[in-house]
Amino acid sequence: MMYQHILVPTDGSELSLKAAKTAAKLCKELNAKMTAVYVIPPYTPPSVGDGAVLWPDQFAPDRYKAVAEKVANTALDKVREEAASAKVDCETLFLTKLHPWQGIIDTAKGKQCDLIVMASHGRKGIEGILVGSETTKVLTHSTTPVLVCR
């Protein structure tokens, strides 16, 4: 078999959902496993001047974790729905990592995925430099093949 386990990173965007649809079709054709991952940035408390935190109850670590996990699960549910419509089982997980690209690569290695299917927002010029591209970083640092969808 060509690919046996495909990893689909998602950020909840329509473009990443398009990549998930492509991955689901590919999994169906290849009879491959599918795993979706959402990488949550670590908690960073907001501060105003001299370390004062406004509305500490609204920005508490527990509150951040609950909201971040809800957002992650919503995005992962959409990927799971795409997989189900293609009649493919899809394992989902979320993890916390400072750099999403590193979380994607770590998940691919840990789950023994042999292909990563992900979206690219196609940012160019100064926007691409300022915003950066998780896809470009995955392409640069991953030893696992990457299929980029646009």
Side-chain angles (χ1 to χ4, degrees):
M1 251 199 219
M2 187 172 208
Y3 297 111
Q4 297 177 9
H5 193 174
I6 297 175
L7 180 66
V8 183
T10 185
D11 61 6
S13 68
E14 285 300 315
L15 201 51
S16 68
L17 196 56
K18 184 178 174 184
K21 185 179 246 177
T22 298
K25 287 179 184 176
L26 193 55
C27 285
K28 180 70 175 175
E29 290 291 320
L30 299 173
N31 196 29
K33 293 193 297 186
M34 182 169 163
T35 298
V37 64
Y38 185 101
V39 182
I40 300 170
Y43 171 76
T44 306
S47 63
V48 178
D50 297 331
V53 176
L54 301 177
W55 308 289
D57 56 325
Q58 292 297 317
F59 297 104
D62 291 346
R63 173 95 171 117
Y64 173 81
K65 182 178 187 247
V67 170
E69 288 179 4
K70 183 177 179 182
V71 169
N73 282 319
T74 298
L76 291 167
D77 285 346
K78 290 178 183 178
V79 174
R80 193 180 298 115
E81 288 170 14
E82 286 297 335
S85 69
K87 296 182 173 57
V88 172
D89 289 330
C90 181
E91 177 188 357
T92 61
L93 66 113
F94 58 83
L95 61 123
T96 301
K97 201 74 160 176
L98 180 60
H99 302 290
W101 63 268
Q102 188 66 60
I104 293 164
I105 291 171
D106 290 350
T107 301
K109 285 180 186 173
K111 294 286 184 179
Q112 299 178 344
C113 298
D114 48 15
L115 180 66
I116 300 170
V117 176
M118 63 188 302
S120 173
H121 292 280
R123 293 184 182 102
K124 297 177 183 163
I126 194 72
E127 182 184 16
I129 292 168
L130 294 176
V131 175
S133 168
E134 297 305 317
T135 305
T136 299
K137 291 171 187 163
V138 170
L139 285 166
T140 302
H141 298 285
S142 179
T143 56
T144 304
V146 180
L147 173 62
V148 179
C149 301
R150 292 180 87 183

